[in-house]
Amino acid sequence: MEQVLVSVVMPSYNHREYVGRAIESVLKQTYQNFEFIIADDGSTDGSPEVISQYDDPRIKFIRFEQNTSFGACEYIYQRAKGKYIASICSDDMWKETLLEKYVAFLQEHEEYGCCFCKPDIIDENDNMIEDSEYNKIFTSENHAKEQWFRKFYLEGNFICAPSMCLRRSLYEELGPFRFQFRQLQDYEFWMRLVQISNIYIYPENLIMYRIHQEGDNKNISAPTKEVSIRGRMERKYIMYDIMENVEDKFFIKAFENDLIRKPDAEGFCVECEKFGVMLNTPVVPAHAAIFYYYKHYNESKFRNCLENYYQVSRGEFWNLTGADHDQWYENIKNRNLAAQLTELVNSLKQELAQKDAELDAIKAQKN
């Protein structure tokens, strides 16, 4: 295998207990042709002193004296020189063959722009967490890029960001992660990525992804009221912006089974179809569809087709804008909770019926 250069990038913040293990997991890779760019984002717990102990010519370390609110992340991506960019967080760990397997795959499959994998979930003490919700979130299935786009848009994020290995040329074409988003910058990037490239989920767990639900080190996605509010705000804009900018042909192919009218039907309007997808998808905040309507209403084709062929009048739209969408979120959450409880009850009923059948069989044998 050609030994192309890989840029390994790692932002660090207040992970003194873990950053050494993260660094060592990179240095122990079976694939050794890499540069290792580390930026500490104003840690106050002694993390920079731990990082400085590692004397390896491949390590390029910059220390920011004050926290830059993801400025360290921007720094490391801008300085990447390798053919591929692989990311790791300062509290996670790679398995030794991650780079070797990713590089081999990407070198042999030019049609793929990026590799990910499903992670092993670990706690603060490196113990495996078998029943974590994250095990249900991160997918190991592969799809065509149009299917990925639809899945991301309709269902949410299914990718473990620290497992990423991306062609640098693709990163330069796409532009950077948009760090105006704190919660969803990776999710937004994936939806832009799959519009121009196939992605591949490697069929092995090659990373150990650490979960902190509480304390100073808790994950930025850990469930808090602030995270929930900010996530909603970011999602409103992202879902509007992504739909506004996706190419029409790509959209039609991605959502061909969701279209209200077929492309060759009288009155078909791609903007109306986009509005319909946004309006009928629970994960998409209603505000995103409202903003899209405001943007396109003065286009005569959109307005005419929406009212005459898609049967959405201006009055009905006003009803949408006057609804309590905070309550809408609560209804969605409650419906999801109710569905989970129903699934649990049905599962318990099945187990009970099976036990009853086994008991009846034992009684029959005795008789």
Side-chain angles (χ1 to χ4, degrees):
M1 182 175 62
E2 182 184 357
Q3 294 290 299
V4 298
L5 181 67
V6 178
S7 295
V8 179
V9 297
M10 186 179 79
S12 171
Y13 181 68
N14 281 355
H15 281 152
R16 177 184 174 85
E17 295 179 47
Y18 311 107
V19 67
R21 277 173 276 178
I23 292 172
E24 289 167 14
S25 77
V26 174
L27 298 180
K28 291 177 181 178
Q29 288 294 297
T30 54
Y31 187 94
Q32 287 282 298
N33 189 24
F34 57 81
E35 61 174 356
F36 192 3
I37 308 170
I38 306 173
D40 185 83
D41 204 4
S43 290
T44 58
D45 68 343
S47 291
E49 287 72 25
V50 175
I51 298 170
S52 297
Q53 293 175 8
Y54 289 89
D55 184 17
D56 189 296
R58 294 168 297 184
I59 294 178
K60 302 174 183 179
F61 176 45
I62 180 68
R63 177 180 182 179
F64 291 90
E65 294 298 329
Q66 295 182 337
N67 186 268
T68 62
S69 300
F70 286 141
C73 292
E74 293 173 317
Y75 172 89
I76 55 181
Y77 280 95
Q78 290 168 358
R79 281 152 182 77
K81 303 297 183 185
K83 182 174 181 179
Y84 304 112
I85 302 174
S87 66
I88 182 171
C89 292
S90 55
D91 60 339
D92 298 330
M93 293 181 287
W94 284 349
K95 297 184 181 179
E96 291 184 356
T97 58
L98 179 142
L99 284 183
E100 177 184 345
K101 291 178 176 179
Y102 277 1
V103 172
F105 178 84
L106 290 171
Q107 287 289 92
E108 294 172 5
H109 298 86
E110 291 290 334
E111 70 273 22
Y112 288 92
C114 190
C115 270
F116 302 92
C117 70
K118 189 174 179 179
D120 287 335
I121 308 299
I122 59 174
D123 64 15
E124 289 88 345
N125 300 310
D126 295 352
N127 298 314
M128 291 278 291
I129 307 175
E130 300 291 348
D131 59 347
S132 169
E133 285 296 315
Y134 289 89
N135 287 316
K136 302 174 184 177
I137 293 173
F138 297 129
T139 183
S140 58
E141 299 176 1
N142 278 294
H143 308 278
K145 60 180 183 293
E146 294 86 2
Q147 292 174 312
W148 268 119
F149 182 81
R150 180 184 181 279
K151 188 174 180 66
F152 283 137
Y153 201 88
L154 297 186
E155 301 179 40
N157 193 8
F158 296 87
I159 297 292
C160 180
S163 73
M164 182 193 78
C165 186
L166 172 72
R167 295 184 190 275
R168 182 167 62 88
S169 59
L170 192 59
Y171 177 80
E172 292 172 348
E173 180 181 352
L174 274 173
F177 286 87
R178 294 175 176 170
F179 288 113
Q180 63 266 45
F181 307 120
R182 176 173 171 77
Q183 309 301 143
L184 302 178
Q185 79 282 148
D186 55 345
Y187 175 51
E188 191 273 345
F189 188 84
W190 310 149
M191 284 197 286
R192 286 191 286 130
L193 172 62
V194 296
Q195 291 181 55
I196 64 172
S197 174
N198 292 300
I199 64 175
Y200 183 72
I201 309 298
Y202 202 87
E204 291 184 42
N205 293 24
L206 297 173
I207 181 174
M208 288 166 277
Y209 180 70
R210 195 180 304 277
I211 299 300
H212 314 266
Q213 294 289 6
E214 298 177 351
D216 294 337
N217 281 318
K218 66 185 176 185
N219 300 75
I220 64 171
S221 58
T224 66
K225 183 177 180 180
E226 179 184 351
V227 166
S228 177
I229 293 171
R230 187 187 298 115
R232 289 187 209 168
M233 181 64 70
E234 292 178 1
R235 189 177 294 277
K236 290 174 188 178
Y237 181 80
I238 289 170
M239 305 310 274
Y240 160 75
D241 185 63
I242 288 291
M243 193 61 83
E244 181 67 34
N245 290 292
V246 63
E247 291 187 357
D248 292 349
K249 289 183 179 179
F250 186 90
F251 166 82
I252 291 171
K253 188 171 183 180
F255 290 94
E256 59 184 347
N257 295 324
D258 305 282
L259 299 177
I260 300 169
R261 305 179 70 82
K262 298 303 179 184
D264 57 353
E266 181 183 2
F268 174 82
C269 172
V270 69
E271 288 79 15
C272 293
E273 295 291 345
K274 290 179 180 180
F275 177 69
V277 167
M278 298 168 78
L279 200 59
N280 294 321
T281 304
V283 75
V284 179
H287 299 85
I290 290 169
F291 297 156
Y292 191 87
Y293 180 100
Y294 288 154
K295 171 71 174 179
H296 292 277
Y297 182 74
N298 287 324
E299 299 167 9
S300 58
K301 180 180 179 180
F302 174 77
R303 184 171 63 252
N304 177 64
C305 289
L306 193 66
E307 295 184 359
N308 295 310
Y309 293 95
Y310 291 83
Q311 307 302 312
V312 179
S313 69
R314 190 159 50 192
E316 289 170 323
F317 175 75
W318 288 344
N319 290 336
L320 176 66
T321 61
D324 183 352
H325 295 295
D326 287 333
Q327 186 59 46
W328 178 83
Y329 279 113
E330 290 300 318
N331 292 341
I332 290 294
K333 183 172 67 175
N334 291 337
R335 282 206 298 273
N336 290 339
L337 178 60
Q340 292 172 15
L341 290 173
T342 300
E343 182 180 353
L344 176 61
V345 169
N346 290 336
S347 176
L348 291 173
K349 286 180 177 178
Q350 291 176 0
E351 290 183 17
L352 184 60
Q354 183 178 353
K355 296 296 183 183
D356 287 342
E358 292 173 357
L359 185 58
D360 290 341
I362 293 172
K363 289 179 179 178
Q365 289 177 354
K366 288 182 177 180
N367 294 333

